[in-house]
Amino acid sequence: MTLQTMSLRTLLLLGLWHTGKRSLASAPELQDPPKKIAVVGAGIGGTAAAYYLRQEFGTGVKIDVFEPGIVGGRLATVKIADHEYEMGGTVIHPLNLHMKHFVERLGLLPKKDVPSKMAIFDGKELTFEESDWFIINFFRMLWRYGFSFLRLQLWVESVLDKFMRIYQYQQYGYSFSSVDRLLHAMGGDNFLTLMNQTLEETMMGEGFSQIFINDIVAPITRVNYGQSVRINGFVGAVSVAGADSGLWSVDGGNKRVCSGLLYYSKSELIPAKVTSISVKVRPSKTGTTNSFYEVSYVGESGSAYSLYDIVIIATPLHQGKSDITFSGFSPPIPSHYPGHYHLTVSTLVHGLLNMSYLGTAEPASKFTVSDILTTDSNGSVINSLSSIDPIHIPEGYKRPPASKTKVWKVFSPKALSQEQLQNIFISWDSVSETRWLAYPLYGLSHRKTPPFILHNRLYYLNSLEWAASAMEMSAISARNVALLAHHRWHGQVGKIDQEDLQTRLRGEL
Ligand SMILES: Cc1cc2nc3c(=O)[nH]c(=O)nc-3n(C[C@H](O)[C@H](O)[C@H](O)COP(=O)(O)OP(=O)(O)OC[C@H]3O[C@@H](n4cnc5c(N)ncnc54)[C@H](O)[C@@H]3O)c2cc1C
Ligand SMILES: *[C@@H]1O[C@H](CO)[C@@H](O)[C@H](O)[C@H]1NC(C)=O
Ligand SMILES: *[C@@H]1O[C@H](CO)[C@@H](O)[C@H](O)[C@H]1NC(C)=O
Ligand SMILES: *[C@@H]1O[C@H](CO)[C@@H](O)[C@H](O)[C@H]1NC(C)=O
């Protein structure tokens, strides 16, 4: 057979396959459901994917979730003295509806709220300190920044309004084949423009002053993403929304959501690391061919492989995050996409704070600030310093003042040296350091996000992180790929990439 006849036959086959698929669209029941689905990674993304896949495909399909580490991934806790503390992803926004739904569905509870207070440190002194009195904060901000801080709220609300549309689309079963299409469905060209501009450019365009951006906005992007206001406008808006009031965590630790979702979805957890994925073509009963994905993995009991109809990758395909070889794909799928993950070192110290480090003369016994953010000053060593509470708040708990030995969490771009620790703390009895490749390094050069669809039935969840990284973003992406996998399996093209959903769904309500 010559190459030419070969490609002609391939084209014909493809054409037939396409018409076959289209005729199935009106009678989706004709297509057998998939038998086996693999999910790679058991963080919030992978476990939420297992949950939504079960919801879409029903009880008949076997779902395997691969995880070599601890279920939860970047949601993790550490024990210090007598209590456990969050050391990765911590706070959840009150409008994160998927996280809220999971907690309710799994019978978990939000952690009891302990009022927090914020301050801003410029490397020498505290330039702002929140008072217990709202009215004092209001006038202090008004005095310094005019109405900028009120406008900030309005701007975040307008972005959030559009963001919230995704929940309605997903409720109606709509899915999107790329990050750009998903963002466009939520916020139109406006959201794509946010991805094309830095937060700084966006806010200058909205009329915010450079001083306000440096003094108030930069500390927020530094604590949330360890980066400056040169991150893209979309993740910037998510970051600023993440400084809202009403933030919460899960009682007993956020990672309980992940193990809960695994259990609830009746998936099997395979404690192994996936090393490679390849396509295998097999003849089927009806005389045509079927293709499967062969997933190879290494666990404690050695290496093995299994065949799957559908595979969801729920770990970043980036340097230092995972190392999966894709073979037999055309066009090829890379192990690592362009761009890097940002290093954030999280240091939990059970110790006594050195008040003079903060350049304040306030007595430590009166100092009850919980979150100290920092400005982007020359040679600033830390991104933030927070007094943190355990994952379960005991009855009658009150956050101790700075005069007591307690647990502080420091975020920094590099590991703290002994000398730096000695400068920040007077004394300590334990230090626990975690080096996270925490979230993407958001510049504009990688604004072309990786695809959701890597191959026919092979999907990639973490590409949405390049718009913004958060628990809720992984949950939204999980539901999107579960819907996408379902609709593509059954040829329901009418539920993929629909334009104008906003106006159409208004009619359906
Ligand atoms: C310090 C820090 C603070 C944060 N703060 C917040 C916050 O306050 N609020 C918020 O919403 N978000 C926060 N985030 C971001 C949030 O934690 C992440 O966006 C979210 O947890 C990502 O979940 P995921 O499941 O997509 O990825 P991950 O949690 O990274 O899960 C991927 C999993 O895949 C596994 N894996 C990797 N390679 C393989 C392989 N080859 N085979 C099988 N499994 C593999 C990994 O072990 C991992 O468990 C923070 C993150 C960090 C690091
Ligand atoms: C965003 O930038 C890309 C590349 O520079 C460009 O092709 C695209 O048109 C821009 N989109 C918007 C909405 O500005
Ligand atoms: C506390 O901070 C001040 C100011 O940075 C520093 O001079 C001092 O050495 C630090 N350590 C102690 C134990 O006071
Ligand atoms: C910033 O740091 C550089 C090098 O350490 C120094 O030369 C410069 O004077 C500093 N600028 C400010 C404003 O402190």
Side-chain angles (χ1 to χ4, degrees):
M1 199 194 304
T2 70
L3 201 64
Q4 263 169 345
T5 56
M6 164 90 177
S7 53
L8 190 63
R9 281 177 58 143
T10 317
L11 271 176
L12 269 172
L13 268 174
L14 272 175
L16 284 173
W17 181 74
H18 271 294
T19 45
K21 202 160 175 175
R22 224 166 274 139
S23 66
L24 276 176
S26 51
E29 293 76 16
L30 290 183
Q31 169 87 323
D32 286 337
K35 293 194 177 59
K36 280 177 77 186
I37 303 180
V39 176
V40 183
I44 186 65
T47 55
Y51 174 85
Y52 289 122
L53 286 164
R54 178 65 71 209
Q55 188 169 303
E56 291 306 313
F57 287 104
T59 51
V61 58
K62 183 173 188 317
I63 302 175
D64 289 344
V65 179
F66 292 91
E67 174 60 64
I70 297 168
V71 170
R74 273 172 275 170
L75 307 184
T77 58
V78 63
K79 189 157 185 196
I80 293 175
D82 296 331
H83 297 283
E84 278 190 55
Y85 298 86
E86 295 284 359
M87 58 173 188
T90 303
V91 296
I92 305 168
H93 192 273
L95 290 177
N96 285 170
L97 299 190
H98 289 334
M99 290 303 293
K100 226 168 136 172
H101 166 79
F102 296 154
V103 166
E104 280 162 15
R105 179 54 58 91
L106 299 171
L108 299 171
L109 290 170
K111 183 169 115 175
K112 209 159 76 192
D113 186 47
V114 183
S116 62
K117 241 177 1 180
M118 185 267 284
I120 295 175
F121 179 55
D122 70 356
K124 293 194 180 68
E125 56 180 7
L126 298 178
T127 53
F128 176 79
E129 190 178 329
E130 204 178 340
S131 150
D132 286 329
W133 303 94
F134 171 78
I135 199 74
I136 294 180
N137 296 322
F138 184 90
F139 282 110
R140 272 187 196 158
M141 293 293 266
L142 191 64
W143 172 251
R144 243 178 121 143
Y145 305 108
F147 283 100
S148 276
F149 72 104
L150 285 181
R151 280 234 308 284
L152 183 68
Q153 217 138 24
L154 291 180
W155 178 65
V156 170
E157 266 166 37
S158 77
V159 174
L160 216 50
D161 260 358
K162 294 184 180 124
F163 185 94
M164 298 302 284
R165 291 174 184 165
I166 191 65
Y167 297 114
Q168 195 192 11
Y169 302 160
Q170 294 194 327
Q171 196 58 44
Y172 280 87
Y174 290 100
S175 61
F176 305 92
S177 67
S178 72
V179 171
D180 275 5
R181 281 182 185 271
L182 189 149
L183 293 176
H184 191 265
M186 290 197 275
D189 288 343
N190 184 251
F191 270 22
L192 294 182
T193 307
L194 283 179
M195 288 286 289
N196 262 11
Q197 294 180 338
T198 65
L199 176 64
E200 190 173 34
E201 284 164 355
T202 307
M203 295 193 73
M204 298 285 262
E206 296 277 334
F208 291 98
S209 70
Q210 187 76 58
I211 296 179
F212 181 73
I213 294 172
N214 293 350
D215 287 7
I216 301 293
V217 182
I220 296 174
T221 61
R222 285 167 60 78
V223 65
N224 285 328
Y225 291 106
Q227 296 164 66
S228 73
V229 288
R230 260 89 61 202
I231 58 179
N232 80 61
F234 186 80
V235 68
V238 167
S239 187
V240 177
D244 238 334
S245 57
L247 302 178
W248 59 285
S249 304
V250 180
D251 187 35
N254 293 330
K255 69 176 184 189
R256 289 180 74 193
V257 173
C258 303
S259 43
L261 289 172
L262 266 186
Y263 177 80
Y264 195 90
S265 67
K266 298 195 162 62
S267 323
E268 183 175 346
L269 176 67
I270 301 184
K273 179 177 172 164
V274 170
T275 51
S276 72
I277 298 174
S278 55
V279 214
K280 296 279 136 138
V281 181
R282 297 274 163 87
S284 77
K285 272 186 290 191
T286 54
T288 57
T289 58
N290 279 339
S291 62
F292 296 94
Y293 297 110
E294 185 182 279
V295 174
S296 305
Y297 54 95
V298 185
E300 268 179 17
S301 47
S303 52
Y305 65 88
S306 274
L307 292 180
Y308 294 93
D309 299 302
I310 295 173
V311 177
I312 314 279
I313 309 286
T315 175
L317 293 175
H318 281 87
Q319 208 129 47
K321 297 298 287 177
S322 66
D323 240 323
I324 303 169
T325 308
F326 296 90
S327 55
F329 292 94
S330 168
I333 301 170
S335 291
H336 298 142
Y337 279 91
H340 290 275
Y341 270 62
H342 183 75
L343 177 71
T344 287
V345 182
S346 159
T347 310
L348 270 63
V349 178
H350 185 237
L352 199 56
L353 188 70
N354 174 10
M355 289 292 286
S356 15
Y357 174 75
L358 297 177
T360 173
E362 278 177 73
S365 57
K366 295 269 163 56
F367 192 73
T368 54
V369 168
S370 51
D371 299 285
I372 299 152
L373 316 190
T374 61
T375 54
D376 204 347
S377 60
N378 213 6
S380 42
V381 171
I382 63 168
N383 289 338
S384 62
L385 168 66
S386 310
S387 161
I388 60 171
D389 308 312
I391 55 175
H392 177 74
I393 306 293
E395 203 53 51
Y397 177 87
K398 262 186 86 178
R399 184 176 299 120
S403 52
K404 296 268 163 59
T405 291
K406 56 175 178 170
V407 180
W408 295 88
K409 182 195 270 179
V410 184
F411 282 158
S412 56
K414 286 192 198 131
L416 296 174
S417 67
Q418 203 65 11
E419 202 185 329
Q420 287 164 338
L421 271 174
Q422 271 165 8
N423 210 9
I424 306 172
F425 298 97
I426 290 173
S427 65
W428 60 86
D429 45 48
S430 79
V431 174
S432 157
E433 179 194 278
T434 312
R435 296 173 191 223
W436 293 104
L437 283 177
Y439 14 67
L441 184 57
Y442 295 106
L444 294 183
S445 53
H446 300 295
R447 76 134 245 125
K448 200 178 166 323
T449 49
F452 283 139
I453 305 172
L454 299 178
H455 187 249
N456 292 345
R457 286 170 280 105
L458 174 60
Y459 301 92
Y460 179 37
L461 191 147
N462 291 76
S463 54
L464 192 57
E465 263 193 86
W466 287 84
S469 176
M471 294 173 232
E472 185 72 6
M473 293 303 286
S474 286
I476 287 172
S477 197
R479 189 163 198 189
N480 183 63
V481 295
L483 287 166
L484 200 55
H486 174 268
H487 302 335
R488 282 165 55 88
W489 181 270
H490 289 297
Q492 294 172 341
V493 292
K495 288 283 192 181
I496 303 172
D497 291 340
Q498 293 299 301
E499 301 277 342
D500 255 346
L501 280 178
Q502 184 54 18
T503 23
R504 281 168 48 190
L505 290 183
R506 206 175 291 142
E508 281 183 45
L509 278 176

